[in-house]
């Protein structure tokens, strides 16, 4: 994954997660190179606190939604916001946000008529305007016959939409406005982000509204989630780009170690999936090296999809199923006022498809609230036992039940690995309860343990081992 030169989009992505954290003083109611990391920590972005109202409860005007996808056409969607007013519901104003003293930005959280939740940030002094979209869909959602589809899908969204069909229309616009973009695919989430300079090429706007650079970028960005093309003519090239990422990863010890850990998990659990994907898995058995004789003597041609099948239909199905307003969150920061930023978002992202009827986000809290999952009831205080009498947590093992990533057969093992680059590393993995379990949400014991194990002060584990000359570094964390 290419690192962005601007940290703002990443901060915005964290801001989106704050919708499910004590970021508010009250609970909410109502360049493509090397793009895509195939594995990171799981996000709790869509797991709202138990007392938080589900967004489905926000009353909005009804609207018609049409989605289609054929062999020749990309997916299309239409949503007409209600007339006679914006229909946007404000769920938190600036005064309701808990901010640090140096933070002079103004914030607002809103829900658009299509039920898209948006965090707005106004900063008149910023030198970089930005936006990020977080989607609750990652490589855990890959179909069995298309390993790496979520990652490949992320790549393809950058290559043209119905409104801006040129494969470079989006990034060319960003480049002309001093901006950059990137994205990554996680286990349960995918994140897209960009930044631009606050430019108005026709001079400063007299009304002080959203800059031409930000509004133009938002318009192009929104089309990813409204009408992407998934152009058949670009599939082969992008398949080979993903395959290059895979081949590059095979030469990196950290990547190989992570894949070994995934392979060692229960194959009934989505953690074991091959998130990066390669040419073979994405074409359902294709061989990137297959060639045939061309029309001219001595000429060779690549065989379409290496003798496998086109992943285009799978891409359209994935987008149709996962990329709607109920499954994404948007964050925007700009110099304009909150009112102007809100108008820009309504204008550009207001046509994103609403969630389908009865939609429930794939998060533990959301699933419990909807009655799909049932958390265990404590028999005596906070102590909960399973059928075998073992102490467990309320949400432990629920999301992908009955599958468990690391059960008794996968634990208590020692694996020795010969690295490609000479190094001597000891890694110890321990199974821990869900970090967002209600019993742990306020105490965060993992942070305390990680801090104690990784601390470098005199008398710490790091200090003692280093004094003996046994280590060069020591780190600890959860994920």
């Amino acid at each position: 994954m290419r690192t962005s030169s601007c940290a703002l989009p990443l901060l915005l992505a964290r801001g989106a997660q704050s919708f499910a954290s004590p970021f508010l003083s009250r609970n909410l109611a109502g360049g493509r190179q090397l793009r895509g990391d195939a594995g990171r920590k799981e996000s709790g972005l869509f797991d709202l606190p138990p007392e938080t109202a589900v967004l489905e409860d926000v009353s909005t005007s009804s609207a018609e939604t049409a989605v289609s996808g054929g062999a020749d056409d990309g997916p299309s969607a239409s949503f007409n916001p209600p007339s006679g007013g914006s229909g946007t519901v404000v769920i938190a104003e600036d005064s309701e946000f808990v901010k640090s003293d140096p933070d002079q930005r103004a914030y607002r959280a809103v829900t658009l008529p299509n039920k898209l939740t948006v965090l707005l940030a106004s900063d008149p002094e910023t030198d970089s305007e930005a936006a990020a979209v977080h989607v609750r869909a990652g490589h855990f959602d890959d179909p069995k016959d298309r390993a790496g589809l979520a990652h490949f899908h992320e790549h393809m969204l950058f290559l043209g939409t119905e409104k801006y069909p040129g494969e470079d229309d989006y990034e060319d616009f960003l480049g002309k406005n001093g901006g950059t973009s990137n994205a990554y695919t996680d286990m349960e989430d995918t994140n897209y982000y960009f930044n631009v300079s606050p430019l108005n090429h026709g001079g400063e706007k007299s009304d002080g509204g959203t800059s031409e650079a930000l509004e133009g970028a938002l318009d192009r960005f929104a089309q990813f989630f409204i009408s992407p093309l998934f152009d058949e003519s670009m599939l082969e090239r992008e398949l080979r780009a993903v395959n290059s990422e895979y081949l590059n990863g095979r030469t990196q010890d950290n990547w190989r170690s992570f894949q070994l850990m995934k392979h060692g998990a229960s194959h009934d659990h989505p953690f074991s999936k091959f998130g990066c994907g390669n040419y073979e898995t994405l074409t359902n058995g294709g061989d990137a090296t297959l060639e045939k004789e061309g029309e001219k003597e001595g000429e060779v041609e690549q065989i379409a999809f290496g003798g496998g099948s086109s992943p285009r239909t799978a891409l359209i199905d994935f987008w149709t199923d996962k990329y709607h307003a109920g499954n994404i969150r948007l964050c925007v920061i700009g110099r304009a006022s909150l009112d102007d930023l809100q108008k820009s978002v309504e204008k550009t992202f207001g046509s994103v498809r609403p969630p389908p009827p009865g939609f429930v986000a794939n998060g533990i809290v959301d699933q419990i609230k909807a009655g799909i999952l049932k958390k265990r009831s404590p028999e005596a205080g906070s102590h909960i036992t399973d059928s075998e009498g073992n102490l467990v947590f309320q949400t432990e093992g629920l999301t992908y039940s009955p599958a468990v990533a690391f059960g008794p057969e996968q634990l208590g093992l020692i694996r020795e690995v010969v690295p490609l680059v000479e190094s001597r590393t000891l890694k110890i993995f321990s199974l821990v309860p869900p970090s967002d379990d209600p019993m742990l949400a306020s105490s965060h014991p993992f942070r305390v343990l990680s801090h104690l194990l990784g601390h470098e002060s005199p008398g710490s584990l790091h200090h003692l081992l280093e004094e003996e000359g046994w280590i060069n570094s020591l780190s600890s964390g959860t994920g």
Side-chain angles (χ1 to χ4, degrees), residues 66-372:
V67 182
S68 64
D72 298 318
D73 301 320
S76 62
S78 62
F79 174 72
N80 299 316
S83 58
S86 72
T88 296
V89 177
V90 176
I91 51 180
E93 286 286 10
D94 181 61
S95 60
E96 299 170 281
F97 283 75
V98 177
K99 297 184 287 185
S100 62
D101 290 338
D103 188 356
Q104 299 302 309
R105 292 171 175 168
Y107 297 91
R108 178 184 295 168
V110 302
T111 300
L112 304 187
N114 58 0
K115 298 187 179 179
L116 173 61
T117 303
V118 185
L119 174 64
L120 304 170
S122 174
D123 182 357
E125 304 300 322
T126 185
D127 292 326
S128 182
E129 301 182 309
V133 165
H134 205 86
V135 186
R136 187 57 184 258
H139 78 250
F140 277 16
D141 300 290
D142 288 345
K144 291 183 179 179
D145 62 343
R146 302 282 180 182
L149 184 70
H151 179 203
F152 182 53
H153 176 277
E154 170 223 309
H155 277 240
M156 291 301 300
L157 283 191
F158 284 76
L159 302 181
T161 61
E162 185 176 317
K163 186 173 183 179
Y164 300 101
E167 64 173 291
D168 294 321
D169 283 350
Y170 173 64
E171 291 189 355
D172 281 351
F173 182 86
L174 296 181
K176 292 176 181 177
N177 289 277
T180 61
S181 70
N182 214 326
Y184 64 82
T185 301
D186 207 331
M187 288 180 272
E188 294 181 319
D189 312 274
T190 305
N191 189 279
Y192 305 82
Y193 54 92
F194 74 80
N195 68 284
V196 291
S197 298
L199 300 175
N200 289 302
H201 298 286
E204 288 297 321
K205 289 185 175 182
S206 58
D207 60 1
T210 305
S211 71
E212 293 176 4
L214 180 57
E215 184 145 338
L218 285 172
D219 189 30
R220 288 159 177 79
F221 191 36
Q223 298 306 309
F224 287 20
F225 314 97
I226 298 173
S227 58
L229 290 178
F230 299 123
D231 192 331
E232 185 84 36
S233 66
M234 299 180 188
L235 294 178
E236 185 71 33
R237 185 191 66 194
E238 210 62 25
L239 282 167
R240 294 179 182 275
V242 170
N243 200 59
S244 293
E245 287 192 43
Y246 159 70
L247 295 174
N248 183 61
R250 291 181 59 177
T251 66
Q252 300 175 16
D253 285 316
N254 285 340
W255 191 88
R256 291 161 66 92
S257 176
F258 183 67
Q259 293 303 315
L260 176 63
M261 182 172 67
K262 287 170 69 66
H263 183 72
S266 168
H267 288 193
D268 292 328
H269 192 280
F271 181 76
S272 66
K273 289 186 175 183
F274 176 39
C276 176
N278 59 24
Y279 193 96
E280 179 181 355
T281 63
L282 289 167
T283 57
N284 197 15
D287 183 349
T289 64
L290 284 186
E291 298 176 339
K292 64 179 180 180
E293 292 185 4
E295 297 180 358
K296 297 179 180 179
E297 185 177 351
E299 184 180 60
V300 295
E301 298 177 357
Q302 296 289 335
I303 294 179
F305 304 112
S309 59
S310 170
R312 188 170 187 273
T313 299
L315 288 169
I316 293 174
D317 290 344
F318 188 87
W319 184 91
T320 302
D321 184 41
K322 304 296 183 183
Y323 278 58
H324 54 74
N327 219 31
I328 69 177
R329 299 291 185 267
L330 168 67
C331 297
V332 179
I333 181 171
R335 283 189 176 183
S337 67
L338 291 173
D339 288 341
D340 286 329
L341 291 174
Q342 179 176 319
K343 290 176 183 177
S344 295
V345 166
E346 292 168 346
K347 178 180 176 182
T348 55
F349 277 82
S351 295
V352 173
R353 287 178 301 134
F359 169 76
V360 179
N362 184 27
I364 291 177
V365 175
D366 300 281
Q367 300 275 313
I368 290 175
K369 287 173 66 65
I372 298 173

Side-chain angles (χ1 to χ4, degrees), residues 409-424:
E409 295 181 358
Q410 290 80 34
L411 297 174
L413 302 177
I414 297 176
R415 291 188 172 92
E416 297 181 345
V417 179
V418 178
L420 297 176
V421 178
E422 184 177 354
S423 62
R424 293 168 179 81

